[in-house]
Amino acid sequence: MNKEELQKIKKWLPRGYAKRIYLETGISFVTIYETMNGKARNKTVLDAAVAIAKEEKERVENIQNEVSTL
């Protein structure tokens, strides 16, 4: 995964995403941050990060839709 793709994922990750990935996978914070900064490759971390980013994007879009209907 290149740096541009990682930036797209990181754009949607909420604060505390690393702790959530750590709790779900047991992978160290160092590996999580290195993976998300393109210095390491870990498929498990990337899969978890993409899932969290999708959830966050959907949550933000739902909030925006609710606000627009007010």
Side-chain angles (χ1 to χ4, degrees):
M1 190 165 279
N2 64 34
K3 294 222 178 208
E4 292 172 2
E5 292 169 331
L6 289 173
Q7 287 301 322
K8 283 182 181 180
I9 296 169
K10 286 174 67 174
K11 172 184 166 185
W12 288 104
L13 290 174
R15 183 178 178 161
Y17 76 90
K19 183 175 183 179
R20 188 167 160 191
I21 293 173
Y22 168 75
L23 293 173
E24 290 177 8
T25 65
I27 296 172
S28 72
F29 285 99
V30 172
T31 302
I32 293 167
Y33 288 122
E34 285 181 349
T35 301
M36 295 311 298
N37 288 315
K39 296 178 182 175
R41 292 181 185 219
N42 189 306
K43 185 177 180 340
T44 306
V45 170
L46 290 174
D47 289 344
V50 168
I52 293 169
K54 282 182 180 179
E55 289 175 16
E56 184 67 12
K57 182 177 179 183
E58 185 177 307
R59 186 184 72 78
V60 168
E61 289 174 349
N62 286 339
I63 290 171
Q64 289 173 342
N65 288 338
E66 289 180 20
V67 169
S68 69
T69 60
L70 292 178

